[in-house]
Amino acid sequence: MITARQSRAARALLGWTQETLADRAQVSLTALKRLESESGLEVYETTRDQVRRAFESAGIVLLSTEKGEGVLRLHESGKQLAKP
């Protein structure tokens, strides 16, 4: 499951705005803002899944361990996998 902090961090790594991510994930901007809110707002699991898939297709790996969550950006042969 993608967290609010992971989504914001992944967007920062890619240089994406919330609008860009909402478009690439095919979710509403309102739904994305709810996902990225620290207020613990309810978000449909399908929204989280679509956002996760958008990040993964752009070369982002979501990390989750007993020590916490994070993100990692992959590069392919010296070139970026996705451009904003």
Side-chain angles (χ1 to χ4, degrees):
M1 178 172 82
I2 186 170
T3 66
R5 292 175 76 183
Q6 284 176 311
S7 183
R8 291 191 308 269
R11 275 195 311 102
L13 284 173
L14 294 168
W16 288 1
T17 63
Q18 284 184 322
E19 292 82 3
T20 301
L21 176 55
D23 182 57
R24 291 181 183 240
Q26 298 180 341
V27 299
S28 72
L29 184 56
T30 301
L32 179 61
K33 287 182 178 189
R34 290 177 67 88
L35 184 150
E36 290 193 349
S37 168
E38 287 294 333
S39 301
L41 300 172
E42 291 292 319
V43 179
Y44 289 117
E45 193 58 38
T46 55
T47 299
R48 291 183 189 279
D49 191 48
Q50 286 173 253
V51 169
R52 178 189 53 79
R53 281 193 244 153
F55 282 137
E56 288 175 350
S57 70
I60 295 291
V61 176
L62 301 171
L63 307 170
S64 182
T65 70
E66 64 278 349
K67 293 184 179 184
E69 293 85 23
V71 295
L72 174 71
R73 183 173 185 193
L74 300 177
H75 291 271
E76 181 182 307
S77 303
K79 68 177 184 176
Q80 293 181 352
L81 292 176
K83 297 183 192 253

